[in-house]
Amino acid sequence: MAIQRRELLAFVGGGVAAGLSGCTGLLSTGGDGRSGNERGDDESSGSIAGEELVLATTTSTYDTGLLDEVNAAFEENFGTPVQAISQGTGAALETARSGDCDVVMVHARSQEDEFMRNGYGINRRDLMFNDFVIVGRSDDPAGIGGSGDATGAFQAIAESESLFASRGDDSGTHTAELRIWEAAGVEPGGEWYLETGQGMGDTLNQASQQGAYTLADRGTFISQQDEIKLGILVQGPVEGGPEILANPYGVLAINPAIHQNVNYQLAMAYIGFLTSPEGQQVIENYELDGQQLFFPEALSEDPDFEQYVPEGWQPDDADN
């Protein structure tokens, strides 16, 4: 039986957030603590001010501090606090499947597409992007430094049986890592392949302590680079590297026809703000140590309409 929405939030807030797969933290900025079906008619049919949005999101948006910026800007504009559950993408989508959040922000398009095909998510929008990088210690035992070939780098790591720390948590980063191993023709395993089962920040720390390679999103790596003994050895497309290391983020609402308790009105206000010129500017302006961590992608004079539906989707009568 699924944990009920507000019971889940109390459970996480009670100090056992680490028990959720890939979870590294919980942000709470206040609110009345009542779900959509617990609010009176006078509140649910009028202004959204004073209500509370529940967001399930990836560890990278939390670890980098981006959520503090965008959620503060949203609250300033709408008078609405955001309670964010930080998890790996797979766990965040599972939270959403259970109806325990109103909106989800993740970075694994294949998982997002499955989520939409099963009817749980609607009104998806491209939000922003950065990229993945392959990081490791300076002596680089697999000799991958400076390579422009991510799949070749993974092959070299496997052939030399150099330590590699995998998140192993069904997150967006883990999904991207498995895609690279598949492209490299390698099925990773053995003593050299370490599955942490942790978020990106914890995995970077473990890789640093054990002298392992790992795949990291650029934003989280930048936010922790002064605390770990790892450097970027293979760049992603932000710095001219291969497209296989691209890292796009999407945001989508939970289908209120599946879960009537979700606050759909508030979810759409949040999506609308994040993809508006003001929200996109907040994302673009967010920096650490003078480095931009995320790049806005929602605004375009030539929009990609496939962002709203699963990739490759066609109506049932497309051939008629």
Side-chain angles (χ1 to χ4, degrees):
M1 181 175 181
I3 300 174
Q4 293 300 309
R5 171 192 175 98
R6 296 298 159 180
E7 292 176 354
L8 171 70
L9 296 174
F11 177 77
V12 175
V16 287
L20 295 170
S21 175
C23 184
T24 62
L26 175 74
L27 294 177
S28 178
T29 55
D32 62 8
R34 291 177 292 166
S35 63
N37 58 0
E38 294 172 320
R39 301 185 184 99
D41 290 342
D42 58 329
E43 293 179 333
S44 61
S45 61
S47 171
I48 62 175
E51 298 190 17
E52 179 184 70
L53 175 76
V54 181
L55 165 72
T57 186
T58 70
T59 61
S60 57
T61 60
Y62 174 83
D63 289 342
T64 58
L66 176 67
L67 278 186
D68 290 332
E69 296 292 317
V70 297
N71 289 348
F74 177 75
E75 182 171 0
E76 182 178 353
N77 276 267
F78 291 89
T80 303
V82 180
Q83 187 170 102
I85 306 171
S86 168
Q87 304 170 286
T89 287
L93 289 173
E94 190 57 40
T95 294
R97 283 187 187 93
S98 300
D100 292 319
C101 65
D102 304 305
V103 63
V104 63
M105 182 195 303
V106 288
H107 64 141
R109 186 62 193 266
S110 61
Q111 293 194 48
E112 296 168 52
D113 286 351
E114 179 184 6
F115 185 75
M116 288 190 288
R117 287 191 183 99
N118 291 332
Y120 292 106
I122 54 175
N123 295 339
R124 183 193 178 276
R125 289 294 307 276
D126 289 340
L127 177 61
M128 60 188 181
F129 69 93
N130 61 10
D131 60 0
F132 295 108
V133 291
I134 304 174
V135 302
R137 64 195 201 197
S138 58
D139 63 346
D140 186 16
I144 65 172
S147 171
D149 180 4
T151 57
F154 269 37
Q155 288 169 345
I157 291 169
E159 289 170 1
S160 62
E161 296 191 350
S162 300
L163 285 178
F164 184 94
S166 168
R167 284 182 58 170
D169 63 349
D170 197 31
S171 62
T173 304
H174 184 220
T175 299
E177 177 212 320
L178 294 179
R179 184 172 65 245
I180 300 169
W181 287 122
E182 182 178 8
V186 175
E187 186 172 343
E191 294 183 1
W192 62 273
Y193 188 69
L194 313 173
E195 294 186 273
T196 70
Q198 301 295 319
M200 193 70 259
D202 290 336
T203 298
L204 279 167
N205 284 328
Q206 290 192 42
S208 178
Q209 292 167 7
Q210 299 191 49
Y213 294 99
T214 193
L215 182 74
D217 70 277
R218 184 183 296 274
T220 306
F221 175 76
I222 289 173
S223 72
Q224 294 194 210
Q225 62 183 346
D226 293 336
E227 303 169 10
I228 55 179
K229 298 178 180 179
L230 300 172
I232 296 177
L233 300 175
V234 179
Q235 294 280 2
V238 168
E239 293 293 338
E243 272 303 309
I244 198 170
L245 295 178
N247 184 26
Y249 288 74
V251 60
L252 57 162
I254 312 311
N255 188 349
I258 300 294
H259 292 294
Q260 296 180 8
N261 65 299
V262 301
N263 194 325
Y264 177 71
Q265 180 185 16
L266 193 51
M268 291 308 300
Y270 188 71
I271 293 172
F273 174 74
L274 290 184
T275 59
S276 72
E278 181 179 352
Q280 293 283 282
Q281 193 68 48
V282 173
I283 293 170
E284 183 172 15
N285 290 345
Y286 184 66
E287 296 182 346
L288 283 179
D289 297 327
Q291 299 183 71
Q292 184 174 348
L293 272 60
F294 298 92
F295 300 83
E297 196 176 28
L299 301 176
S300 173
E301 293 182 356
D302 184 22
D304 176 10
F305 295 109
E306 285 193 352
Q307 68 182 299
Y308 305 111
V309 296
E311 290 185 321
W313 178 86
Q314 294 290 334
D316 292 339
D317 60 351
D319 296 329
N320 295 336

